[in-house]
Structures are given as structure tokens and as C-alpha cells.
Amino acid sequence: EMILEACKSIAAATSALVKAASAAQRELV
Amino acid sequence: MPVFHTKTIEGILEPVAQQVERLVILHEEAEDGNAMPDLERPVQAVSSAVTNLIKVGKETINSSEDAILKQDMPVALHRVENASKLLVEASSMLKADPYSGPARKKLIEGARGILQGTSALLLCFDESEVRKIIRECRKVLDYLAVAEVIETMEDLVQFVKDLSPCLTKLSRDVDAREKDLTHQFHREILVRCLEQVKTLAPILICSMKMLIQIMVKRGKGEAEAAANRNYVEQRMTDEINEIIRVLQLTTYDEDEWD
């Protein structure tokens, strides 16, 4: 189903964004 | 303990849920935080994915005949759209000030919002798919109700012709659904009920045939044969009603799990 594929794309894009944001924070912890 | 009730939803959301959780923890531990990198490109990627989802979601809403989906899906889409706007705002604020605290909060709120909105959307879609399976179950129930008025071989042949494709579809759909569930207890019930339905179906046809033969020959035992047919029909009805009940369960029941 196209809805599932669209949700997968959002999840992947959000994961990549959160990873990028976490990388900078991780250096401090 | 499963958080998502299907493997499909779990496969989509579990990795991103873990990432968001990690970001929240890092944010809390790092307090003032490091300078954030430029997030414009990854935020743009999320925005594009959200735009595509809105388009696909609207097409799904327009083409669906499911009134509940038509009512619930726009709300979920709106949540995802709003969360995406928060991410764009956060990215823009961080570009101006990579140390901005409010921007970080907005980023986390946006990421959580995407997760919650996507989860709501997937649930809404999943419930609609379950309603489709339940409609198949109800079709079989309607045919079973007709069993009691079948009095000739010709009608029985037609009854079997009508019932068989519905039963096949029910069996295929419930089997696929059972395999996708994360709740072991619910899966076991569905497997058991489906097996019962498959076992009882030929027994029902046999009992109907026996009754018709007795009626044609005006032989003895008509009442017993009718009672037997009704008993098998009722058992099949009960099993299918149990399938319908379990298909609708989405919440995690700790007692059942234990």
C-alpha cells in the first residue's frame, strides 16, 4: 500500500534528521 | 513487551522511536548542548516525505468508502503536517543560533509529533484494513444463517458455491493478519478459531446433506439431523464471532500476556 510506503519514507527521513541532531549532542555527553 | 500491535507498524516506527528517545535523553543530559549542525537538508527531506504522505493520504481518503477512515485520517495527516512545520521552524532558528534552547525543544517536539502523527495514521489505516476483514467474516456469518433454510440438493450446491470463496478469503485474510500481530495470545486465539472454522465447514455441509437426504426419503431422524446441522452451524458462528472480537483488539493486555 502507498500509505505504508509513504510512512516508511517519513520514518527514514526523521531517523536521519534525529541522528544528525544527536551527533552534535553526543560529543558533550 | 510489544508496544506496537502489528509487525508492519513496529517495523516502520520502532527504529525512529528509538532514535527520538535517544535524542531526548541526549538533550536532557547535555543541558546547554553543543552547537547544532545545519539541519536544513535532513529537515527538507522530512518535509518532502510529509508532502508525499499528505498527497497519498488524501487520495486514500477520497477513494475509500470507509466512513471512519474518512473521519480519522485527516486528523492524523494534520498532526504530521504541523509537526513538520515545527521542524522547519527549528531548523531556521538553529541556523540563526546553533545554541538556541527553544529551537532544540522545537526540534524534539517536531520529531515526537512526526512519530505520534505517523503512528496515528498507521493505526487509522490498520483499523480500516481490519474492518475489511471483519466484513468478510460477516459475509460468512450471513451465509451460515441461510443454512437453516436449505432444503434441496440444488440449493445446497448453490450454498456451497457461494460459501466457499468467502470462506477461502476469510481464511487467507485472517491467516495473514495473525502472522502480522505481535501479541502472541491474540495470534493463538486466531489460529485456533480459524482451524475450527476450517474443520467445521465440511462437517456442516455433510450435516446439511444428511438432513436433505432424510427429508427427501421422509426417513427417521429428521429432528436429530436438523439439530446436528444447527449445532455445527452455531459452532462455526461462535468461532467467527470470536475471530471478529480478537481482530478488534489492539491494546496490550498484561494479564492475558502473563
Side-chain angles (χ1 to χ4, degrees):
Chain A
E1 283 285 352
M2 284 168 77
I3 280 275
L4 295 180
E5 288 307 315
C7 287
K8 277 182 197 169
S9 300
I10 288 187
T14 308
S15 250
L17 165 68
V18 173
K19 263 186 197 169
S22 299
Q25 298 290 92
R26 202 171 291 130
E27 288 169 17
L28 279 189
V29 180
Chain B
M1 182 192 295
V3 178
F4 303 105
H5 74 286
T6 72
K7 291 172 189 169
T8 302
I9 297 178
E10 188 179 56
I12 295 172
L13 295 179
E14 183 72 27
V16 68
Q18 283 177 9
Q19 291 285 347
V20 173
E21 196 180 336
R22 206 168 296 146
L23 177 67
V24 173
I25 293 167
L26 286 168
H27 176 77
E28 282 168 358
E29 287 179 1
E31 284 288 327
D32 296 334
N34 234 345
M36 276 281 186
D38 185 0
L39 297 174
E40 192 180 343
R41 281 183 71 181
V43 165
Q44 188 52 50
V46 175
S47 294
S48 301
V50 169
T51 304
N52 180 53
L53 177 73
I54 304 293
K55 181 176 159 277
V56 172
K58 281 180 180 167
E59 284 168 7
T60 305
I61 293 163
N62 291 336
S63 62
S64 175
E65 290 173 4
D66 186 332
I68 301 172
L69 178 138
K70 280 175 178 289
Q71 181 188 299
D72 292 351
M73 197 171 265
V75 181
L77 286 174
H78 197 61
R79 281 175 79 176
V80 178
E81 205 171 17
N82 280 345
S84 176
K85 282 177 189 161
L86 287 177
L87 292 177
V88 173
E89 285 170 21
S91 161
S92 161
M93 286 163 76
L94 285 168
K95 215 168 190 179
D97 174 10
Y99 293 93
S100 166
R104 286 156 198 271
K105 278 187 183 162
K106 203 166 259 203
L107 184 74
I108 288 175
E109 204 185 326
R112 273 182 169 158
I114 293 274
L115 186 62
Q116 288 161 354
T118 310
S119 173
L121 191 94
L122 285 169
L123 272 178
C124 170
F125 180 71
D126 185 69
E127 284 166 5
S128 168
E129 293 298 298
V130 167
R131 286 192 287 275
K132 283 184 193 167
I133 307 174
I134 290 174
R135 272 202 293 277
E136 289 304 319
C137 291
R138 294 205 194 284
K139 259 192 209 172
V140 175
L141 287 177
D142 288 344
Y143 278 121
L144 289 178
V146 171
E148 290 183 23
V149 297
I150 303 291
E151 292 181 344
T152 68
M153 277 302 187
E154 290 75 23
D155 286 349
L156 179 60
V157 168
Q158 190 57 49
F159 175 81
V160 174
K161 270 188 188 170
D162 293 337
L163 181 67
S164 296
C166 292
L167 261 181
T168 305
K169 178 136 179 46
L170 177 150
S171 175
R172 201 171 50 225
D173 290 354
V174 173
D175 186 57
R177 181 68 183 173
E178 172 269 311
K179 287 184 169 54
D180 196 32
L181 289 180
T182 53
H183 293 182
Q184 187 60 25
F185 186 70
H186 297 165
R187 293 182 63 183
E188 283 168 12
I189 299 174
L190 288 180
V191 168
R192 201 172 55 234
C193 290
L194 193 57
E195 277 309 308
Q196 284 294 310
V197 170
K198 285 185 199 169
T199 306
L200 288 167
I203 298 174
L204 174 71
I205 306 304
C206 212
S207 71
M208 291 170 76
K209 193 175 165 188
M210 279 177 65
L211 175 62
I212 291 168
Q213 284 170 342
I214 291 171
M215 286 165 79
V216 168
K217 291 178 186 168
R218 298 188 185 278
K220 282 181 183 174
E222 187 179 322
E224 289 83 353
N228 185 45
R229 176 204 59 192
N230 293 348
Y231 169 75
V232 179
E233 182 230 308
Q234 190 54 51
R235 276 198 57 196
M236 277 186 81
T237 300
D238 291 346
E239 298 293 348
I240 293 171
N241 277 325
E242 179 66 355
I243 288 174
I244 292 173
R245 185 186 74 81
V246 176
L247 283 174
Q248 294 175 98
L249 295 176
T250 54
T251 50
Y252 178 72
D253 189 325
E254 209 163 327
D255 293 333
E256 280 181 351
W257 193 262
D258 286 342

